Amino acid sequence: MALLASGALPQNPPHTLPSLQRWLAHMSSFSPSETKDFPPHSLSCKMAEELSQLVHKSIKMTPESLKPDKPSQGSKGGEHSKGKSGKFTLKTPKGTRDYGPTEMAVRRQVFDIIYSVFHMHGAVEIETPVFELKEVLTGKYGEDSKLIYDLEDQGGEILSMRYDLTVPFARYVAMNKITNIKRYHVARVYRRDNPAMTRGRYREFYQCDFDIAGQYDAMIPDAECVQLVHQVLSKLNLGDFTIKINHRKILDGVFGSCGVPAEKFRPICSAVDKLDKSPWEEVRKEMVEEKGLNESVADLIGDYVKFSGREELIDRLKSDERLENSADAQAGLNDLSLLFQYCKSLGCDDHVVFDMGLARGLDYYTGVIYEAVLMAGQNRGEEGSVGSVAGGGRYDGLVGMFDPKKKTVPCVGVSFGIERLFTIQEQKQRAENQKLRSTQTEVFVAAACKGMVHERLKLIQLLHEAGIKAESSYKNNPKLLNQLQYAEDSQIPLVVLIGESEVEAGVVKIREVTTREEATVKREELVATLKQRLAPK
Amino acid sequence: MALLASGALPQNPPHTLPSLQRWLAHMSSFSPSETKDFPPHSLSCKMAEELSQLVHKSIKMTPESLKPDKPSQGSKGGEHSKGKSGKFTLKTPKGTRDYGPTEMAVRRQVFDIIYSVFHMHGAVEIETPVFELKEVLTGKYGEDSKLIYDLEDQGGEILSMRYDLTVPFARYVAMNKITNIKRYHVARVYRRDNPAMTRGRYREFYQCDFDIAGQYDAMIPDAECVQLVHQVLSKLNLGDFTIKINHRKILDGVFGSCGVPAEKFRPICSAVDKLDKSPWEEVRKEMVEEKGLNESVADLIGDYVKFSGREELIDRLKSDERLENSADAQAGLNDLSLLFQYCKSLGCDDHVVFDMGLARGLDYYTGVIYEAVLMAGQNRGEEGSVGSVAGGGRYDGLVGMFDPKKKTVPCVGVSFGIERLFTIQEQKQRAENQKLRSTQTEVFVAAACKGMVHERLKLIQLLHEAGIKAESSYKNNPKLLNQLQYAEDSQIPLVVLIGESEVEAGVVKIREVTTREEATVKREELVATLKQRLAPK
């Protein structure tokens, strides 16, 4: 049934008015020039009156729900002050937002593509609670732990909101003593970070995670993760992308060979992680001044982290004089060689780059790490890379942190940052002037005269019974033009129209909304005719 | 790619072994009686050795991920004590649980049906944050407010977890100044209630809400909600159900006519709400002893709340000597008359019962209220009703509570309690011995001999490129029987099998997993052949 504002008349878009007049005139067998004063028409009720009102009246209608979604972004949108309301500020919590119908339609598109790729790989789905015992999250995120949302102690357990889906997954695997699983999990996570919502950075945001847990042969699951990222980004069709890869053992090998003491590997790794946002000079400064690294050691590292390439770089580093004797570096380089080979067989090596400046923030990675960045879209007026849209890597020790016997399960996985993808998809559709529907309605049941409400409801029942998505107005006697306008605005392809004469004759009129062609069919042929017209061509 | 345990051999179900032997023998052109000692076979590698191992060896394999999901229900499942672990209890928070692959597959089925009905009615989707400013929830839930989860004050806003989806919806409508919308929202809500998880009662649980906001003609949106409940429960096919309806104005009219003072309407209504769990004597006691009602007034109410019927009851009450002069009661009764008429036209009146004992807990209802209960399924060994699976009603004042000018938007809606539906669906499938797949994989790519990993990956790439859901093993040289067993256990319909001779000849073998029939096809015809076999018949 319809969302027509009470007694309102169509306003937007006004350019449809002449065509509606033409159609009405046609139905009434009058030419457009005669529309000002109507004699009774073929449908036995007062369309003429309505149209006359429409032509002479100041017309206003745009149901709120049909307007583009208003941004309701935290403290920015829709707010009114405490003073005015006398009560409280009407807003969503800082760093969060509502998603309206159009935004949800875009998101569903992105989700459907990601789900289809997850299913392509035979992944199962799991779901974990939105909060965990606080101690489950403790000691997993390093410095970032300060960003965790805690729940109030209301008597009982001490809980925190999940910070990612990886730690709950590891908890799930350990708790259920699972030795192997390939699962996906799409859900929101929570970080008390400084939000930058215009850039798609929120405190509450979706992660779409795909992980493979189990003791398998080297690099086969890791290559599958690269392939999956390649497939998702190709199918989303958001322009060129690069999948950067590196290996924690190579980084550790470089650090060791350059003279970094072992206890400083992770802090120095954190510094390298900032290379995607800061120039080397700043990163070097952090290494030397904050983390107490010898200047010459920092400079040696600086030479390595600038490297980026493919197999030739791997080969060169294998015989690099400093790395030649590092077991860690050699193990990591061998892994990457193998990874490139598998990616070739999987047809996903073309966007892959070995980038020694890639470090990833989280402490729990132990092997291959990767990150996908979208290159700027010219149609989006951006320059360079628009930032990371997926990231992940191998974390062989995390499950063991939850096992009393420290028995671990090797894991590798990837996480898509859906908010960025979704912002970019929205920009793309805006640029291409696509108007996305937020409903799936196929048929609007309209009445051309009063007293038809039960007849309309019976038709709705008939269509629903046949699996046809159908709506009608919630008014007893809705104005015909409002009904047609609603169908047009909502991009509903077909209108089924009845008047007294149609009911008497046991027929209905079917109207194609875009072409405005109509045909009269017998009621008993209605369902079959509609199904035929709605079938994909 | 596959979830095969490292180097393990198939154990469960052992009854498949003879058939595997037959098939292997067939491929090797030997009769079953000759399977003990194998000469080289048509695939140029060592299947014989494997099968011989299999026959003579104590065999063990059931990957954890293939076992039925273990219950991991809060403090019950998977727990190990602090003492043992030396660290902490491995569990989910009280009243919450993980959902494993099989459970998620059942849930997806239930969700898909509910979503399809929501789309049938042309509803748009919205999403709101999981928490709200605490003051948004304050004063909306009466006594139940004590069950709200609060977040810790970490500096900044004071937040609470959402308690339902209705109050956030009203906040959304008011904040965005929406005058009409028909939306659905499927999400989890949070209540610090006493969990009873075996009966599907959790602290974190899904609600599937459908609501219509806007100023419309009486009872048309209300009837659509009844129709929607009827459609969802019919499509879920979980047995007989009843949709109880009542009207807050009828209850108020009864209370007023019987002599309840106006300020006691809501507390007395709360007492009536307990009638579905407690006998009248206890409810009467609460009215008299806790809520200070005169005994004779309580007895008068007792006469009314026992009534249940259909139109004849409505008509009788319209001329009831006590209710005749109650404007409230008459208005409510007229609404219900109209509702029954619309439900008839919508073909959904057959399960509807006017039940004067239905009161609904929440304070915000102002008009029609309804609740759907499933009747006991004989195959589930239950008696009577198995409880409420959906509920809702009209709440015309809630949006106004968020508007500074108190401008309100009338609303009516319904919420499905998915945890119960999902528990019942699981019981039904167990009773019918249905085995639900938790993956969608269509083809398993297997190798009959060593050194085939790159060939397998190339095939995976070829199939994925063609949109065929395909997996292979993560081992370099997986044992053939493990691969076939995995495909069978996972209910993957087809296996694509290669050996050295196939690769040389540019062909592959396609095996139907259930019938074990196979055929050799040219590699360039593989995709077309698979698509043909996978097409729905």
Side-chain angles (χ1 to χ4, degrees):
Chain A
M1 303 186 190
L3 305 175
L4 293 177
S6 161
L9 284 163
Q11 174 194 42
N12 257 333
H15 69 268
T16 59
L17 188 52
S19 50
L20 277 170
Q21 288 176 331
R22 271 198 301 279
W23 175 76
L24 281 168
H26 165 71
M27 280 192 78
S28 314
S29 311
F30 292 99
S31 77
S33 61
E34 291 171 304
T35 51
K36 230 179 169 182
D37 201 13
F38 292 93
H41 47 70
S42 64
L43 290 170
S44 52
C45 52
K46 300 201 175 172
M47 286 194 311
E49 195 189 324
E50 271 184 64
L51 187 55
S52 160
Q53 278 178 7
L54 182 69
V55 172
H56 295 293
K57 212 167 165 180
S58 156
I59 43 181
K60 45 178 176 178
M61 179 194 91
T62 314
E64 283 294 322
S65 59
L66 302 177
K67 287 184 187 168
D69 299 327
K70 286 181 188 170
S72 51
Q73 304 194 352
S75 51
K76 280 182 179 174
E79 189 173 349
H80 62 76
S81 74
K82 272 201 183 189
K84 269 188 188 172
S85 78
K87 264 190 129 175
F88 61 84
T89 308
L90 197 57
K91 67 187 284 295
T92 61
K94 185 179 177 186
T96 69
R97 54 174 293 197
D98 295 319
Y99 288 82
T102 317
E103 295 150 340
M104 288 303 286
V106 175
R107 183 196 284 175
R108 283 284 157 215
Q109 274 194 330
V110 174
F111 275 166
D112 285 350
I113 289 172
I114 292 177
Y115 279 124
S116 76
V117 177
F118 288 169
H119 292 151
M120 187 75 86
H121 289 257
V124 297
E125 186 177 10
I126 73 160
E127 185 163 63
T128 64
V130 79
F131 37 55
E132 293 278 348
L133 298 187
K134 186 177 170 62
E135 54 199 349
V136 166
L137 307 190
T138 304
K140 309 297 185 304
Y141 302 106
E143 290 174 22
D144 286 351
S145 295
K146 64 179 185 294
L147 303 180
I148 294 174
Y149 278 97
D150 293 324
L151 270 81
E152 196 174 288
D153 180 2
Q154 293 171 286
E157 298 160 336
I158 305 300
L159 309 177
S160 299
M161 303 291 281
R162 61 182 165 213
Y163 184 83
D164 64 9
L165 302 178
T166 312
V167 169
F169 173 60
R171 193 264 308 144
Y172 172 81
V173 169
M175 185 169 134
N176 293 287
K177 299 185 177 56
I178 292 168
T179 55
N180 44 33
I181 186 170
K182 171 162 52 179
R183 81 87 179 83
Y184 70 91
H185 186 187
V186 174
R188 296 197 286 192
V189 301
Y190 299 87
R191 300 186 183 178
R192 292 180 60 254
D193 214 337
N194 274 330
M197 300 195 291
T198 47
R199 289 186 291 125
R201 191 179 164 126
Y202 295 89
R203 288 182 159 196
E204 174 183 56
F205 58 96
Y206 268 96
Q207 290 199 328
C208 305
D209 279 29
F210 172 91
D211 292 80
I212 303 162
Q215 184 70 55
Y216 297 119
D217 285 331
M219 294 301 113
I220 311 183
D222 310 61
E224 183 173 15
C225 291
V226 174
Q227 183 200 22
L228 181 123
V229 172
H230 192 283
Q231 289 169 332
V232 167
L233 296 181
S234 302
K235 287 198 180 204
L236 284 173
N237 193 22
L238 298 173
D240 196 17
F241 59 87
T242 298
I243 304 172
K244 299 179 190 173
I245 57 169
N246 197 2
H247 199 296
R248 276 283 166 91
K249 285 189 180 169
I250 299 178
L251 282 171
D252 287 355
V254 168
F255 298 154
S257 312
C258 294
V260 179
E263 71 275 12
K264 286 189 179 164
F265 279 11
R266 289 286 73 77
I268 294 301
C269 190
S270 284
V272 172
D273 183 46
K274 288 162 191 156
L275 271 179
D276 59 342
K277 294 188 191 77
S278 315
W280 165 248
E281 276 316 307
E282 273 181 43
V283 171
R284 184 183 183 278
K285 203 173 159 192
E286 179 180 327
M287 288 180 174
V288 174
E289 293 181 13
E290 285 177 41
K291 293 175 173 168
L293 206 63
N294 190 304
E295 291 202 9
S296 60
V297 173
D299 288 335
L300 283 175
I301 294 172
D303 288 341
Y304 284 103
V305 296
K306 285 169 196 162
F307 291 145
S308 107
R310 288 169 56 95
E311 288 103 321
E312 80 295 339
L313 176 59
I314 299 174
D315 292 339
R316 181 150 59 85
L317 291 172
K318 276 184 185 170
S319 50
D320 179 272
E321 58 177 32
R322 235 182 223 96
L323 303 184
E324 219 167 13
N325 297 317
S326 161
D328 267 351
Q330 292 300 319
L333 290 164
N334 285 333
D335 272 355
L336 289 197
S337 291
L338 194 55
L339 182 66
F340 263 101
Q341 288 173 34
Y342 287 142
C343 285
K344 278 202 170 65
S345 291
L346 286 168
C348 65
D349 68 313
D350 53 343
H351 295 264
V352 178
V353 170
F354 170 30
D355 184 333
M356 291 190 71
L358 175 70
R360 302 281 302 154
L362 296 167
D363 277 3
Y364 51 60
Y365 292 116
T366 56
V368 170
I369 47 178
Y370 30 71
E371 200 164 285
V373 290
L374 283 188
M375 309 317 282
Q378 291 173 322
N379 57 351
R380 295 194 300 268
E382 299 145 348
E383 282 175 37
S385 147
V386 298
S388 162
V389 291
R394 177 161 283 284
Y395 50 101
D396 287 347
L398 195 57
V399 173
M401 292 177 75
F402 292 106
D403 191 277
K405 291 169 189 158
K406 303 290 153 217
K407 204 186 137 197
T408 200
V409 180
C411 295
V412 63
V414 64
S415 178
F416 291 90
I418 201 69
E419 261 71 16
R420 279 210 68 80
L421 289 175
F422 150 71
T423 306
I424 294 165
Q425 177 81 353
E426 268 189 328
Q427 289 168 348
K428 185 186 158 207
Q429 286 176 340
R430 219 171 291 140
E432 293 169 3
N433 210 9
Q434 285 183 33
K435 199 184 161 195
L436 208 61
R437 290 190 66 183
S438 53
T439 68
Q440 300 179 11
T441 311
E442 296 164 319
V443 173
F444 189 84
V445 175
C449 57
K450 289 188 179 180
M452 290 280 122
V453 58
H454 282 284
E455 291 302 327
R456 285 191 285 120
L457 297 184
K458 282 177 197 165
L459 280 171
I460 286 286
Q461 149 68 358
L462 178 73
L463 300 184
H464 282 187
E465 196 68 28
I468 295 168
K469 300 179 186 105
E471 294 183 72
S472 189
S473 166
Y474 290 124
K475 310 273 308 167
N476 271 316
N477 298 307
K479 293 180 195 301
L480 178 60
L481 281 172
N482 289 357
Q483 298 174 76
L484 299 176
Q485 186 73 55
Y486 175 79
E488 195 160 319
D489 290 346
S490 310
Q491 300 177 65
I492 300 173
L494 297 174
V495 169
V496 164
L497 185 66
I498 48 167
E500 278 168 19
S501 57
E502 280 77 9
V503 173
E504 269 171 37
V507 298
V508 302
K509 277 195 156 63
I510 299 178
R511 173 177 149 93
E512 296 268 355
V513 173
T514 47
T515 64
R516 279 152 198 159
E517 282 164 37
E518 352 122 12
T520 300
V521 298
K522 286 185 192 159
R523 212 180 156 99
E524 55 270 29
E525 287 161 12
L526 176 61
V527 164
T529 311
L530 290 174
K531 287 204 166 178
Q532 200 184 344
R533 293 206 186 200
L534 292 166
K537 269 131 206 167
Chain B
M1 303 188 190
L3 304 175
L4 293 175
S6 162
L9 284 162
Q11 175 194 43
N12 256 334
H15 67 269
T16 60
L17 187 54
S19 51
L20 278 171
Q21 288 175 330
R22 271 197 302 280
W23 175 77
L24 281 168
H26 165 71
M27 281 193 75
S28 314
S29 310
F30 292 98
S31 76
S33 62
E34 292 171 301
T35 51
K36 229 179 170 182
D37 200 13
F38 292 93
H41 47 70
S42 65
L43 290 169
S44 51
C45 52
K46 300 201 175 173
M47 285 193 312
E49 194 189 325
E50 272 184 64
L51 186 55
S52 160
Q53 278 179 4
L54 182 70
V55 172
H56 296 293
K57 211 168 164 179
S58 157
I59 44 182
K60 46 177 175 178
M61 179 194 92
T62 316
E64 285 292 321
S65 59
L66 303 176
K67 287 182 187 169
D69 300 327
K70 286 180 187 169
S72 50
Q73 305 193 350
S75 50
K76 280 180 178 176
E79 190 174 348
H80 62 77
S81 75
K82 272 202 184 190
K84 269 188 188 173
S85 77
K87 264 190 128 175
F88 63 85
T89 308
L90 197 57
K91 66 187 283 296
T92 62
K94 185 178 177 186
T96 70
R97 55 174 292 198
D98 295 319
Y99 288 82
T102 316
E103 295 151 340
M104 287 303 286
V106 175
R107 183 196 285 175
R108 283 283 157 213
Q109 274 194 329
V110 174
F111 275 167
D112 284 349
I113 289 172
I114 292 177
Y115 279 123
S116 76
V117 177
F118 288 169
H119 292 152
M120 186 76 86
H121 288 258
V124 297
E125 186 176 12
I126 73 160
E127 186 162 62
T128 64
V130 79
F131 37 55
E132 295 277 348
L133 298 187
K134 186 177 170 63
E135 54 199 349
V136 166
L137 307 190
T138 304
K140 309 297 185 307
Y141 301 106
E143 289 174 22
D144 287 352
S145 296
K146 64 179 186 296
L147 303 180
I148 294 174
Y149 278 97
D150 294 323
L151 271 80
E152 196 173 287
D153 181 1
Q154 292 171 286
E157 299 160 336
I158 305 300
L159 309 176
S160 298
M161 304 290 282
R162 62 182 164 212
Y163 185 82
D164 64 8
L165 302 178
T166 311
V167 169
F169 172 60
R171 193 263 309 144
Y172 172 82
V173 169
M175 186 169 132
N176 293 286
K177 300 185 175 56
I178 292 168
T179 55
N180 44 34
I181 187 171
K182 171 162 51 179
R183 81 88 179 81
Y184 68 92
H185 186 187
V186 174
R188 297 197 286 193
V189 301
Y190 299 87
R191 301 184 182 178
R192 293 180 59 253
D193 215 339
N194 274 328
M197 299 195 291
T198 47
R199 289 186 290 124
R201 191 177 163 131
Y202 296 89
R203 288 182 160 197
E204 174 184 54
F205 59 96
Y206 269 95
Q207 290 199 326
C208 304
D209 279 29
F210 172 92
D211 291 81
I212 302 162
Q215 185 70 55
Y216 298 118
D217 285 330
M219 294 300 114
I220 311 184
D222 311 61
E224 182 173 14
C225 291
V226 174
Q227 183 200 21
L228 182 123
V229 172
H230 192 283
Q231 289 169 333
V232 167
L233 296 181
S234 301
K235 287 199 178 200
L236 284 172
N237 194 21
L238 298 173
D240 196 16
F241 58 89
T242 298
I243 304 172
K244 299 179 189 173
I245 59 169
N246 197 2
H247 199 297
R248 275 285 165 91
K249 286 189 178 168
I250 299 178
L251 282 171
D252 288 355
V254 168
F255 297 154
S257 312
C258 293
V260 178
E263 71 275 12
K264 285 190 179 163
F265 279 12
R266 289 285 73 77
I268 294 302
C269 190
S270 284
V272 173
D273 183 46
K274 287 162 192 156
L275 272 178
D276 60 342
K277 295 188 190 78
S278 314
W280 165 249
E281 276 315 308
E282 273 181 44
V283 171
R284 184 182 182 278
K285 203 175 157 190
E286 180 180 326
M287 288 179 175
V288 173
E289 294 181 12
E290 285 179 41
K291 294 175 174 169
L293 206 64
N294 191 303
E295 291 201 9
S296 60
V297 174
D299 289 336
L300 283 175
I301 294 172
D303 288 343
Y304 283 102
V305 296
K306 285 169 195 160
F307 291 145
S308 105
R310 287 171 56 96
E311 289 102 322
E312 79 295 338
L313 176 59
I314 298 174
D315 293 338
R316 181 150 59 86
L317 291 171
K318 278 185 184 170
S319 50
D320 179 272
E321 57 176 35
R322 235 182 224 96
L323 302 184
E324 219 167 13
N325 298 317
S326 160
D328 268 351
Q330 292 300 321
L333 290 164
N334 285 332
D335 273 354
L336 289 197
S337 290
L338 194 55
L339 182 67
F340 263 101
Q341 287 173 36
Y342 287 141
C343 286
K344 277 201 170 66
S345 290
L346 286 169
C348 65
D349 69 313
D350 53 341
H351 295 263
V352 178
V353 169
F354 170 29
D355 184 333
M356 291 191 69
L358 175 69
R360 302 280 302 155
L362 295 168
D363 276 4
Y364 52 61
Y365 292 115
T366 55
V368 170
I369 47 178
Y370 29 72
E371 200 165 284
V373 291
L374 282 187
M375 309 315 283
Q378 290 173 323
N379 56 352
R380 297 195 299 269
E382 298 145 347
E383 282 175 37
S385 147
V386 297
S388 163
V389 292
R394 178 162 282 284
Y395 50 101
D396 287 347
L398 195 56
V399 173
M401 292 177 76
F402 293 107
D403 190 278
K405 292 169 189 158
K406 303 288 153 220
K407 204 186 137 196
T408 200
V409 179
C411 295
V412 63
V414 64
S415 178
F416 291 91
I418 200 70
E419 261 71 17
R420 280 209 67 80
L421 288 175
F422 150 72
T423 305
I424 295 164
Q425 178 81 354
E426 267 189 328
Q427 288 168 349
K428 184 186 159 208
Q429 285 177 340
R430 217 172 292 138
E432 292 169 3
N433 211 10
Q434 285 183 33
K435 198 184 161 195
L436 208 61
R437 292 190 64 184
S438 53
T439 68
Q440 299 180 11
T441 311
E442 295 165 318
V443 174
F444 189 84
V445 175
C449 57
K450 289 187 180 180
M452 289 280 121
V453 58
H454 282 283
E455 291 301 328
R456 285 191 285 119
L457 297 184
K458 283 177 198 166
L459 280 171
I460 287 286
Q461 149 68 359
L462 178 73
L463 300 183
H464 283 187
E465 196 67 28
I468 295 168
K469 300 179 185 105
E471 293 184 74
S472 189
S473 167
Y474 290 125
K475 310 272 309 166
N476 272 316
N477 299 308
K479 293 181 195 300
L480 178 60
L481 281 170
N482 290 358
Q483 298 174 75
L484 298 175
Q485 185 75 53
Y486 175 81
E488 196 160 320
D489 289 347
S490 310
Q491 300 177 66
I492 300 172
L494 297 174
V495 169
V496 164
L497 185 66
I498 47 167
E500 279 168 19
S501 57
E502 280 77 9
V503 173
E504 270 170 39
V507 298
V508 302
K509 276 195 155 64
I510 299 177
R511 172 177 150 93
E512 296 268 354
V513 173
T514 47
T515 64
R516 279 153 199 159
E517 281 164 36
E518 355 121 12
T520 300
V521 298
K522 287 185 191 158
R523 212 180 157 101
E524 55 269 28
E525 288 161 10
L526 176 61
V527 165
T529 312
L530 290 174
K531 286 203 166 178
Q532 199 184 346
R533 293 205 184 200
L534 292 166
K537 268 130 206 164

